[in-house]
Structures are given as structure tokens and as C-alpha cells.
Amino acid sequence: DAGITQSPRHKVTETGTPVTLRCHQTENHRYMYWYRQDPGHGLRLIHYSYGVKDTDKGEVSDGYSVSRSKTEDFLLTLESATSSQTSVYFCAISGRENTIYFGEGSWLTVV
Amino acid sequence: SQQGEEDPQALSIQEGENATMNCSYKTSINNLQWYRQNSGRGLVHLILIRSNEREKHSGRLRVTLDTSKKSSSLLITASRAADTASYFCATDAFVDNYGQNFVFGPGTRLSVLP
């Protein structure tokens, strides 16, 4: 494992509620990413960060926000959860030679 | 649209046989990577091949890259039941001046039957 911890690992929430997923790394890597994985779509980039307080949007950023106040933590917030945001969310860091290391995933169900 | 597209979407073989998966991409790349994902788990890096390399080996894995055709293949030799997983290719894409993003295909689901 590359020292990436995601929390919570599983969550069921109601439509319209805010949800925050946390990614914590112990590798001191600069780049961190949030992806979502859905059947037939592979992994799609939501947001990424290239440093503390430096973030940018990915392919599917609508309805999501992120924050990175410390190198080790990258938070993904669903401002008002919708059923279309039911998915598996993966945090990743970019390591040596641009190899990506993934967390174990957070399963989110919006009912 | 996705940069990488794996082919086939699903592959079923007998233990001991070889498995070949292909990946096509659209734009120029610096490197291409293959990942494996077991059911319910995160993705695990298998191998990286740079744009100036044509072939790379790692244990039972062999990756080829043809930049003229914008395609790569992953060969798993002497497959085992434990190789059952989904396999993804990922290509890099520079975003502005701040770093790289990685674009994944939808994956090939490999089933190795005992």
C-alpha cells in the first residue's frame, strides 16, 4: 500500500445532504486526485490538487468541491448529494515516475 | 471523451492460457500505464512504458507500445485464477503548467477459469 487512507469506506446518505470524503496520505506527495468509478465509464477525474490550496477541476467536477489545507489531506465534498453521485470514489496520489497509487475506495450510496 | 479504450471489454480464458488486452488512445503521450483492479478494491499499478519504449517485461507481463498506431497491448502469460480482475490502461495528459492528469479507459474484465 502507498500510505493512502480514505474515509469513510462506505456511506449511505439522503438526497440533498452534504457529504465529505477524506483522503489522507503519508507519502508527502504533491499531486492528489479524486476519481469516481462507474460501470461503463472507467475512472473519471473529479478534481485534482497540485499543492496546498492549489486545486483544479477535472472532467466531472459539477456538484463537487475540494479542499487541501495540508499536504497530507485532500477532501472531496458533495455539496448537495444527488442519486447520480452514487458511485465509488477513489483518491490517488502521483508518485515516482508519475505512477499513480490509489486508495481502497469509498462506496457512496445516495438514496 | 476517454483517452484510452481497452479491448476487449471482457475476456474469459482457461488457466494456463495467455491473455492479451489492447488499449488505444487518441493523443500524444509521455507514458502509458497498466493497472489491475480486483473486485471491490482499488487499482494497483502493474507496469509503465514510456513513449520511447516499444516493449517492456515484468514477470509474466509483457507490454508493447506502438505510438504510430496509438495503441498498447498487455500480455499475461500462463494465466492463473488469481489473475481474474479488471485491467485498465492509463495515459498521461498535461494540464496547463501544473502537472499531469491521467485518463483511464473503461477496462477489460478478465476471467481465468480453473
Side-chain angles (χ1 to χ4, degrees), chain A residues 22-102:
Chain A
R22 180 178 182 246
C23 178
H24 179 80
Q25 62 146 329
T26 59
E27 305 297 317
N28 201 36
H29 283 294
R30 180 180 175 189
Y31 295 102
M32 298 184 75
Y33 308 84
W34 276 107
Y35 289 88
R36 61 177 289 175
Q37 185 177 32
D38 304 287
H41 290 279
L43 282 90
R44 292 180 292 175
L45 181 66
I46 305 171
H47 281 279
Y48 68 98
S49 170
Y50 45 92
V52 174
K53 298 185 179 179
D54 292 322
T55 65
D56 208 342
K57 297 178 180 179
E59 179 187 358
V60 289
S61 60
D62 287 348
Y64 302 95
S65 62
V66 290
S67 66
R68 191 162 177 205
S69 58
K70 297 184 290 185
T71 298
E72 57 266 35
D73 290 326
F74 192 32
L75 304 180
L76 175 71
T77 297
L78 287 65
E79 294 140 9
S80 178
T82 67
S83 58
S84 65
Q85 293 177 311
T86 292
S87 186
V88 184
Y89 292 86
F90 287 99
C91 175
I93 61 175
S94 178
R96 186 177 53 165
E97 291 189 295
N98 296 320
T99 299
I100 316 165
Y101 297 98
F102 286 86

Side-chain angles (χ1 to χ4, degrees), chain B residues 5-47:
Chain B
E5 294 280 346
E6 292 91 349
D7 170 60
Q9 292 185 349
L11 179 62
S12 185
I13 60 174
Q14 295 293 132
E15 204 164 23
E17 295 180 338
N18 296 340
T20 299
M21 289 158 272
N22 302 298
C23 171
S24 60
Y25 57 92
K26 298 176 182 176
T27 63
S28 297
I29 62 172
N30 294 303
N31 60 62
L32 184 144
Q33 305 180 52
W34 285 92
Y35 289 79
R36 182 186 73 209
Q37 183 182 34
N38 292 334
S39 181
R41 304 297 299 274
L43 281 75
V44 174
H45 180 258
L46 293 177
I47 196 166

